[in-house]
Amino acid sequence: MKKWSIMIVFCLFLTAAGCSRDMANRDVYKESGDTINVNNKREELYNEGGGQGARNVSDDYGFVRHQRSPIQGDRGGTAHYAAIDREQVANIISQLSTDIPNVDDVATLVTDQEVLVSYDTDSKDRNHTADQVKRTAMSVVPRYYHVYVSDNTKLMRDVENLANLDSTSHNARNLVNGLITQMKKSPQGNRMSDSEDENGATADDNMKTNNR
C-alpha cells in the first residue's frame, strides 16, 4: 500500500513539474508570427501603434529573441525595418543628446536611411561635441543609417520643416540631400572606422549617393 502511495505522489509531482515548465514558457515567450518571441507581459510595446507605451519609464528588462526565416528567399524578416517608429527614435536621440555637456537644444529628423541632428551648443571644441552627438545617434539607430550633425542653429528650422515630409513625398530626397550638404559644412566628428567616413558611410555608400 505504501509503495502505491509513493508511486501516486511521484506521478503527481512529475505532472505538476511539467505543467509548471509549460506555464513558465508561456509566461516568458509569446510567438508573434513565425520568427519573433517577446515577453508577453510587455507585449504592448510590439503592437502597431504601441510607440507611446515604449516611452513609459519601466523597471522591466527588455528581451526579444528574433530568428531569420528558415524559408529561402523569404523577405519577411526585413519587415522590422519598416516598423521603426521614427518619431520615437528621434525623441530618444534628442533626449540623450541634451545629456551631453554643453548641448542645450536638439532637433532631430529620422528618415528611412539618415539621421539629421541640429543642436545648440557653446562648446569650445566643436568637433568633439559633434562626435559625441553623432555617436549618440548612431547608438540608437540600425547600423546602416548615416548620421549628419550641425551646430548651426539656423538649420534647426530646416530640420523641423522636413518633418512634414515622408519617403514618398514629392522631391523629399532632394530636400533631404540639400540639407545634408548644408549640415556637412559644420564639424562632423571623427571617422567612424577605417572603412567608414565621419557620417558612417562607406565608399560604396557614397558612390550610390552620387549616382542618385
Side-chain angles (χ1 to χ4, degrees):
M1 186 66 180
K2 289 184 178 180
K3 290 182 179 180
W4 280 106
S5 299
I6 293 173
M7 290 180 64
I8 291 172
V9 171
F10 183 70
C11 289
L12 289 173
F13 174 78
L14 290 178
T15 301
C19 291
S20 177
R21 283 194 299 269
D22 184 57
M23 289 299 293
N25 287 334
R26 284 202 293 267
D27 281 343
V28 175
Y29 301 114
K30 178 177 180 180
E31 185 171 342
S32 174
D34 296 326
T35 60
I36 185 168
N37 294 297
V38 304
N39 185 332
N40 65 2
K41 294 178 180 178
R42 298 299 305 284
E43 63 184 356
E44 72 277 4
L45 302 187
Y46 301 91
N47 292 337
E48 291 294 331
Q52 183 62 41
R55 297 187 181 98
N56 295 334
V57 175
S58 172
D59 294 327
D60 295 343
Y61 290 166
F63 171 80
V64 171
R65 176 177 174 177
H66 204 120
Q67 297 170 313
R68 185 189 300 272
S69 173
I71 302 174
Q72 186 174 4
D74 181 12
R75 303 296 294 171
T78 62
H80 50 283
Y81 292 134
I84 294 175
D85 186 333
R86 295 171 187 167
E87 184 175 4
Q88 182 185 346
V89 171
N91 178 57
I92 293 171
I93 292 172
S94 292
Q95 286 187 335
L96 292 177
S97 295
T98 55
D99 290 335
I100 297 172
N102 303 109
V103 175
D104 303 313
D105 191 4
V106 182
T108 303
L109 177 75
V110 178
T111 75
D112 55 341
Q113 53 192 312
E114 302 105 353
V115 177
L116 280 60
V117 186
S118 179
Y119 57 95
D120 183 18
T121 182
D122 58 0
S123 172
K124 303 300 182 184
D125 190 341
R126 295 176 62 201
N127 193 68
H128 178 65
T129 299
D131 195 62
Q132 288 181 301
V133 173
K134 174 188 64 182
R135 290 179 186 275
T136 295
M138 284 283 193
S139 71
V140 177
V141 294
R143 195 61 187 86
Y144 66 87
Y145 266 76
H146 303 149
V147 176
Y148 303 89
V149 299
S150 175
D151 57 4
N152 181 356
T153 56
K154 293 180 180 179
L155 297 182
M156 293 181 109
R157 179 58 61 87
D158 296 324
V159 171
E160 181 178 355
N161 289 340
L162 289 183
N164 295 320
L165 304 177
D166 59 44
S167 55
T168 63
S169 297
H170 176 67
N171 208 34
R173 177 45 49 189
N174 289 335
L175 292 173
V176 170
N177 287 344
L179 182 52
I180 288 173
T181 298
Q182 294 300 313
M183 297 184 81
K184 291 181 72 173
K185 294 178 181 179
S186 301
Q188 299 297 301
N190 303 322
R191 289 183 63 91
M192 292 300 297
S193 68
D194 291 339
S195 61
E196 297 171 308
D197 67 12
E198 292 81 359
N199 308 108
T202 64
D204 288 342
D205 291 332
N206 289 324
M207 185 177 299
K208 292 176 184 177
T209 299
N210 294 333
N211 290 334
R212 285 176 185 166

